[in-house]
Amino acid sequence: MFPAWHATCNTISGAPIMDEIVKDFLIESGENLDRLDQELVKLEAEPKSNELLASIFRTIHTIKGSCGFLGFARLEKVAHAGENLLSRLRDGELSLTADVTSGLLAMVDAVRHMLSEIQATEHDGENDYQELREELKRLQGSDEKPAFESPAAKAEEDTPLSQPAWTDDLASEAARPNAGSSNSPGEVQLQAGWLEPPAASAAADAGPAAASGDSYRPTPGKMGGLLVDRGSLRPEDLATALHEQELGDHRRLGEILVGRGMCKLEDVLAAQQILEMRQRETGTETVRVGVSLLDRLMNLVGELVLARNQLLQFSNTTQEGAFSRVSQRVNLIASELQEEVMKTRMQPIGNVWNKFPRTVRDLAHNCGKEVRLEMEGQETELDRTIIEAIKDPLTHLVRNAMDHGIEAPEARKLAGKDATGCLKLRAFHEGGQVNIEISDDGAGLNRERIRTKAVERGLVSAEQAARLPDRDVFNMIFLAGFSTAEKVTNVSGRGVGMDVVKTNVERIGGTVDVQSTPGRGTTVRVKIPLTLAIIPALIVRCSGERFAIPQVSLTELVRLDSGKGIEMVHGSPVYRLRGQLLPLVYLSQTLKTAPGAEDGLPERKKPATGLQSVNVVVLQAESRQFGLVVDDILDTEEIVVKPLGKQLKGISVYSGATIMGDGRVALILDVLGLAQRAQVIVEARESILQEKRVETRQTARDQQTLVLAENGLEGRVAIPLSIVARLEEFPRTVVERAGAQEVMQYRGQIIPLVRLSEIIPATRDAEMLAHGGSIQVVVYSEGKRTVGLIVDRIVDIVEECSGVERLAPRAGVVGSFVVQRQVTDLLDLPAIVRAAVPGLLDAAETTEEGT
Amino acid sequence: MATEQFCTFFLAAQLFGVPVPQVQEVIGPHDMTPVPLAPEVVSGMINLRGQIVVAIDLRRRLQLAGRAEGELPMNVVVRSLEGAVSLQVDEIGDVIEVEPATFEPPPETMQGSARALILGVHKLEGSLLHVLDTERACQVPATLEATSAER
């Protein structure tokens, strides 16, 4: 539109400035369009909402104004056509119909398309959307007003809303400019006139001034006040100019001021820029930061965490008090910094959900269904990378629920349900993970249909199928190969690409589960980790090297004394874990690091561990459990995940690498890849078998896993592992005091510490009291409250099924029994914690009820 | 004509060179983590100030005889399209400036995988400088594991 202006601007202030403006315009418009989508869909629900209409109108108007200013004529035309239609709606001359909404949405799509064109080519493309504009015109109705009004006539109705070049504040202060002044295209022309070469250079000069505007906080947000504030204008001149306006001068305040030589043109332009900027940032103190910068920050924090780990290791070996205090402090600062930087990468899941109202509306429209979308927990935050990864699977699930879940209105009425179906999205945090639920109140999954299908496909025998519990049956829809068949029918429900959903979710360490009640609806629950960049992992050693295993796939650790309990099934080692056969995979053999492992003869698989104990890490890959045999289990650690070089990408058993505290690189094992390589996961049949196992295992639950700890010289106590959050070891120095209570800082929280020895007195010698520089802590959580129980030493984790005898009940002890030929007290941890820190947990409960 | 600078090193007593601008740094023998199941030319991963870099044994890459026991390789860290990669060599030589005129493509009689990796030689006084195709050298022939995993 104004090529001359562009050229001058570029030559004077350099291309980057222009690029910046266009970039800002693109980002802002992109956001505005997303909002438009939502608002339009909302408007359809409450067509009388003037507020919504005004907001929509304003958004379109802003886009139109900006693109006129930037010279994107085609884009402006389309936006203008939309604006005209909207103005009829706003004035009540037209009522909102589905067609009108569709037209407006199509306009939004066209604008979006042109924006991406601009992004790619810096031009708004060749397509001027003639048809769309005709359609929009048609929707306006043929009566009265022409589609394109003269700028002068239109100006009147635009003025109360925002104006692109001159800000609202300015306009209102200068009283309402007469219709004769200018607006829309006309106004931009005026703007261009203002910005002749000298003005353009002034605008460029004003750049820095405007940029430093954040340190400058003028009181009134109006042009005159701002100019006075900046000392560019004398108050009496302002009064004169305002008076002149009142007397009927139709020019803008700035024009009057410059025209009468009261103020310099540059100052007016600079002030205008500040006002615009402030308007853009109204109310929120935010800064736009490039994602790449955040990623870089995240990397650096990762480095810091590694250096911190090294520092801590070093400080553990020195006795220097001052040094260990400093390193403790560095430790805390680094943890906090890490957390905060992680937060900057967090985005509310609403960012993904935002497009669903539109998706749902369009789909409902297309398949003749009535659907209400409810969303809960939009503010639940997730790492940016995960948000990206979860986008497609979620969209798929929503489409599926719309397509196959919710029935047509007639069918719903026949079933005695409300004709309008309900699709509900819910997100919430739980146990360091994010849960996302997609539920519908549709027909539900058809069990029999799935069973039949599974039998047809040879996944299970008819007899097995009949015995399978519903939950297992429903989850079969996620099996690959199930989906292809489902595409044909769609009678029984979803299945189209559900295996892809599952794969994608599992790729980021998540899980999918489906529940369904016939006639009542289906709920798909997706669980995903908060972040992928820094994850807790178990460090193990194998063939002299360390490997990290992400803790999400870890179920439990089993230690077999001198390899006892390992049996062979035709050459394949297994272990009976609570009565079920657990296939064992030797890491050294899978990775071919063991001498002579290459030939892979069955005999070789026999554990070569004569007398040593065998460490088994029980892992969950898909629905299959297996035991990974490693040489040593070292520790759990927060590790920073780094990608593998391209040269190593093809190796499926690794998901990345990390740098350990001592600076050496360790590989991160990909549990799924490992299972595939070791052929643990062979067929779907296997997993179904496994599900059966899980079921039967639950019946054999009278056995429990216990953490054994020493208390004094002879005392032994046991705590059920199921209620233990974590077992930790800390340097003694972490213990601090808050009043009489011993506390420590743990994962960004202050947690009270309870010494077991003070609850259950036992004899201990001097050496024991002075025991090393570290304490062992059993971390116990209840609700949001966490308490640490300091024990003398954690001895072992065992499985025990022998009965507990209630010998002389004491406070905090449920009873006693024999473990490893020693009498052991079974602790009542909740009771101990309540007795030691009165009120803490109960208080937590009540506050939680309150929230 | 513009001269070109080469960072030189030795492999089995032969002089090799990569253009100086492609070299990020040269470091001595470095602590290394082996990668089981990786192609054998990959000798492991090293921690280069927090950056994990794959090390490629150039002897194996060029199908030369293995290094003698106890002989520690030097690392020439080069910039490749895939990021930094460490090329392991026997010994580091000088930075040599050469005239384009001294360059000659490899003789037809040169056999084996080396042919794809050596762009040619610069005829120096008393020796030949083998010019390495850095980008190619950093690529690893399709992983055995990757192909077998697909079954």
Side-chain angles (χ1 to χ4, degrees), chain A residues 218-240:
Chain A
T219 28
K222 297 189 174 178
M223 172 65 90
L226 185 57
L227 284 170
V228 173
D229 237 38
R230 287 167 64 91
S232 323
L233 178 68
R234 285 186 300 151
E236 50 270 35
D237 286 347
L238 173 63
T240 320

mmCIF file of all heavy atoms in Angstrom, chain A residues 218-240:
data_model
loop_
_atom_site.group_PDB
_atom_site.id
_atom_site.type_symbol
_atom_site.label_atom_id
_atom_site.label_comp_id
_atom_site.label_asym_id
_atom_site.label_seq_id
_atom_site.Cartn_x
_atom_site.Cartn_y
_atom_site.Cartn_z
ATOM 1 N N PRO A 218 5.316 7.224 33.653
ATOM 2 C CA PRO A 218 4.523 8.442 33.751
ATOM 3 C C PRO A 218 3.160 8.114 34.348
ATOM 4 O O PRO A 218 2.689 6.984 34.227
ATOM 5 C CB PRO A 218 4.383 8.898 32.301
ATOM 6 C CG PRO A 218 4.576 7.660 31.497
ATOM 7 C CD PRO A 218 5.328 6.669 32.311
ATOM 8 N N THR A 219 2.561 9.094 34.954
ATOM 9 C CA THR A 219 1.297 8.829 35.613
ATOM 10 C C THR A 219 0.118 8.691 34.665
ATOM 11 O O THR A 219 -0.440 7.620 34.547
ATOM 12 C CB THR A 219 1.011 9.860 36.706
ATOM 13 O OG1 THR A 219 1.664 11.083 36.353
ATOM 14 C CG2 THR A 219 1.536 9.370 38.036
ATOM 15 N N PRO A 220 -0.248 9.734 33.958
ATOM 16 C CA PRO A 220 -1.442 9.562 33.139
ATOM 17 C C PRO A 220 -1.092 8.890 31.825
ATOM 18 O O PRO A 220 -0.012 9.112 31.283
ATOM 19 C CB PRO A 220 -1.920 10.995 32.904
ATOM 20 C CG PRO A 220 -0.697 11.845 33.047
ATOM 21 C CD PRO A 220 0.356 11.056 33.756
ATOM 22 N N GLY A 221 -2.002 8.075 31.337
ATOM 23 C CA GLY A 221 -1.709 7.326 30.123
ATOM 24 C C GLY A 221 -2.199 8.040 28.887
ATOM 25 O O GLY A 221 -2.660 7.418 27.951
ATOM 26 N N LYS A 222 -2.139 9.333 28.880
ATOM 27 C CA LYS A 222 -2.629 10.047 27.706
ATOM 28 C C LYS A 222 -1.536 10.872 27.056
ATOM 29 O O LYS A 222 -0.557 11.247 27.697
ATOM 30 C CB LYS A 222 -3.797 10.935 28.110
ATOM 31 C CG LYS A 222 -4.960 10.088 28.629
ATOM 32 C CD LYS A 222 -6.192 10.890 28.834
ATOM 33 C CE LYS A 222 -7.336 9.950 29.204
ATOM 34 N NZ LYS A 222 -8.569 10.658 29.467
ATOM 35 N N MET A 223 -1.759 11.150 25.790
ATOM 36 C CA MET A 223 -0.742 11.847 24.997
ATOM 37 C C MET A 223 -0.297 13.154 25.642
ATOM 38 O O MET A 223 0.883 13.379 25.887
ATOM 39 C CB MET A 223 -1.308 12.107 23.587
ATOM 40 C CG MET A 223 -0.442 12.981 22.721
ATOM 41 S SD MET A 223 1.137 12.214 22.337
ATOM 42 C CE MET A 223 0.701 11.364 20.833
ATOM 43 N N GLY A 224 -1.271 14.004 25.963
ATOM 44 C CA GLY A 224 -0.912 15.309 26.512
ATOM 45 C C GLY A 224 -0.133 15.170 27.802
ATOM 46 O O GLY A 224 0.953 15.739 27.960
ATOM 47 N N GLY A 225 -0.675 14.359 28.692
ATOM 48 C CA GLY A 225 -0.041 14.179 30.001
ATOM 49 C C GLY A 225 1.355 13.607 29.849
ATOM 50 O O GLY A 225 2.304 14.011 30.532
ATOM 51 N N LEU A 226 1.485 12.699 28.935
ATOM 52 C CA LEU A 226 2.774 12.050 28.717
ATOM 53 C C LEU A 226 3.803 13.062 28.224
ATOM 54 O O LEU A 226 4.945 13.102 28.688
ATOM 55 C CB LEU A 226 2.602 10.918 27.692
ATOM 56 C CG LEU A 226 3.811 10.036 27.426
ATOM 57 C CD1 LEU A 226 4.289 9.405 28.725
ATOM 58 C CD2 LEU A 226 3.461 8.954 26.433
ATOM 59 N N LEU A 227 3.376 13.896 27.299
ATOM 60 C CA LEU A 227 4.291 14.899 26.742
ATOM 61 C C LEU A 227 4.724 15.886 27.821
ATOM 62 O O LEU A 227 5.901 16.250 27.931
ATOM 63 C CB LEU A 227 3.624 15.641 25.581
ATOM 64 C CG LEU A 227 3.548 14.866 24.269
ATOM 65 C CD1 LEU A 227 2.671 15.593 23.271
ATOM 66 C CD2 LEU A 227 4.946 14.648 23.685
ATOM 67 N N VAL A 228 3.784 16.295 28.635
ATOM 68 C CA VAL A 228 4.102 17.222 29.727
ATOM 69 C C VAL A 228 5.075 16.542 30.685
ATOM 70 O O VAL A 228 6.073 17.118 31.109
ATOM 71 C CB VAL A 228 2.820 17.648 30.469
ATOM 72 C CG1 VAL A 228 3.170 18.466 31.714
ATOM 73 C CG2 VAL A 228 1.926 18.455 29.546
ATOM 74 N N ASP A 229 4.752 15.289 30.969
ATOM 75 C CA ASP A 229 5.569 14.509 31.879
ATOM 76 C C ASP A 229 7.010 14.401 31.411
ATOM 77 O O ASP A 229 7.942 14.407 32.193
ATOM 78 C CB ASP A 229 4.976 13.100 31.962
ATOM 79 C CG ASP A 229 4.633 12.754 33.380
ATOM 80 O OD1 ASP A 229 4.173 13.661 34.085
ATOM 81 O OD2 ASP A 229 4.833 11.590 33.756
ATOM 82 N N ARG A 230 7.168 14.261 30.118
ATOM 83 C CA ARG A 230 8.504 14.090 29.554
ATOM 84 C C ARG A 230 9.198 15.424 29.334
ATOM 85 O O ARG A 230 10.306 15.468 28.834
ATOM 86 C CB ARG A 230 8.410 13.351 28.209
ATOM 87 C CG ARG A 230 8.083 11.886 28.369
ATOM 88 C CD ARG A 230 7.695 11.277 27.044
ATOM 89 N NE ARG A 230 8.795 11.307 26.080
ATOM 90 C CZ ARG A 230 9.667 10.318 25.949
ATOM 91 N NH1 ARG A 230 9.561 9.263 26.706
ATOM 92 N NH2 ARG A 230 10.625 10.407 25.077
ATOM 93 N N GLY A 231 8.507 16.468 29.662
ATOM 94 C CA GLY A 231 9.114 17.787 29.535
ATOM 95 C C GLY A 231 9.166 18.300 28.113
ATOM 96 O O GLY A 231 9.906 19.220 27.790
ATOM 97 N N SER A 232 8.400 17.666 27.237
ATOM 98 C CA SER A 232 8.418 18.102 25.845
ATOM 99 C C SER A 232 7.364 19.160 25.595
ATOM 100 O O SER A 232 7.301 19.748 24.528
ATOM 101 C CB SER A 232 8.141 16.926 24.909
ATOM 102 O OG SER A 232 8.740 15.766 25.380
ATOM 103 N N LEU A 233 6.511 19.363 26.565
ATOM 104 C CA LEU A 233 5.384 20.244 26.336
ATOM 105 C C LEU A 233 5.084 20.998 27.621
ATOM 106 O O LEU A 233 5.125 20.416 28.709
ATOM 107 C CB LEU A 233 4.171 19.391 25.933
ATOM 108 C CG LEU A 233 2.855 20.105 25.689
ATOM 109 C CD1 LEU A 233 2.922 20.969 24.444
ATOM 110 C CD2 LEU A 233 1.730 19.084 25.556
ATOM 111 N N ARG A 234 4.793 22.264 27.457
ATOM 112 C CA ARG A 234 4.452 23.040 28.644
ATOM 113 C C ARG A 234 2.973 22.840 28.954
ATOM 114 O O ARG A 234 2.141 22.804 28.037
ATOM 115 C CB ARG A 234 4.749 24.515 28.397
ATOM 116 C CG ARG A 234 6.261 24.814 28.442
ATOM 117 C CD ARG A 234 6.510 26.285 28.349
ATOM 118 N NE ARG A 234 5.969 26.825 27.104
ATOM 119 C CZ ARG A 234 5.535 28.081 26.978
ATOM 120 N NH1 ARG A 234 5.559 28.894 28.000
ATOM 121 N NH2 ARG A 234 5.083 28.513 25.820
ATOM 122 N N PRO A 235 2.617 22.714 30.214
ATOM 123 C CA PRO A 235 1.217 22.445 30.576
ATOM 124 C C PRO A 235 0.267 23.484 30.003
ATOM 125 O O PRO A 235 -0.835 23.134 29.553
ATOM 126 C CB PRO A 235 1.225 22.501 32.094
ATOM 127 C CG PRO A 235 2.642 22.287 32.508
ATOM 128 C CD PRO A 235 3.492 22.768 31.378
ATOM 129 N N GLU A 236 0.710 24.733 29.981
ATOM 130 C CA GLU A 236 -0.221 25.767 29.491
ATOM 131 C C GLU A 236 -0.507 25.587 28.001
ATOM 132 O O GLU A 236 -1.627 25.812 27.528
ATOM 133 C CB GLU A 236 0.284 27.189 29.788
ATOM 134 C CG GLU A 236 1.725 27.473 29.387
ATOM 135 C CD GLU A 236 2.724 27.167 30.499
ATOM 136 O OE1 GLU A 236 2.497 26.184 31.261
ATOM 137 O OE2 GLU A 236 3.736 27.880 30.610
ATOM 138 N N ASP A 237 0.524 25.093 27.267
ATOM 139 C CA ASP A 237 0.297 24.831 25.852
ATOM 140 C C ASP A 237 -0.723 23.726 25.665
ATOM 141 O O ASP A 237 -1.558 23.774 24.758
ATOM 142 C CB ASP A 237 1.613 24.438 25.160
ATOM 143 C CG ASP A 237 2.523 25.644 24.973
ATOM 144 O OD1 ASP A 237 2.016 26.771 25.156
ATOM 145 O OD2 ASP A 237 3.710 25.455 24.662
ATOM 146 N N LEU A 238 -0.625 22.726 26.525
ATOM 147 C CA LEU A 238 -1.568 21.611 26.454
ATOM 148 C C LEU A 238 -2.986 22.136 26.650
ATOM 149 O O LEU A 238 -3.907 21.782 25.904
ATOM 150 C CB LEU A 238 -1.232 20.555 27.518
ATOM 151 C CG LEU A 238 -2.241 19.409 27.651
ATOM 152 C CD1 LEU A 238 -2.324 18.596 26.369
ATOM 153 C CD2 LEU A 238 -1.885 18.504 28.817
ATOM 154 N N ALA A 239 -3.122 22.986 27.646
ATOM 155 C CA ALA A 239 -4.440 23.545 27.947
ATOM 156 C C ALA A 239 -4.983 24.294 26.728
ATOM 157 O O ALA A 239 -6.144 24.133 26.352
ATOM 158 C CB ALA A 239 -4.348 24.479 29.153
ATOM 159 N N THR A 240 -4.102 25.091 26.125
ATOM 160 C CA THR A 240 -4.510 25.853 24.948
ATOM 161 C C THR A 240 -4.997 24.913 23.858
ATOM 162 O O THR A 240 -6.055 25.131 23.251
ATOM 163 C CB THR A 240 -3.316 26.662 24.395
ATOM 164 O OG1 THR A 240 -2.586 27.199 25.491
ATOM 165 C CG2 THR A 240 -3.782 27.771 23.472
#
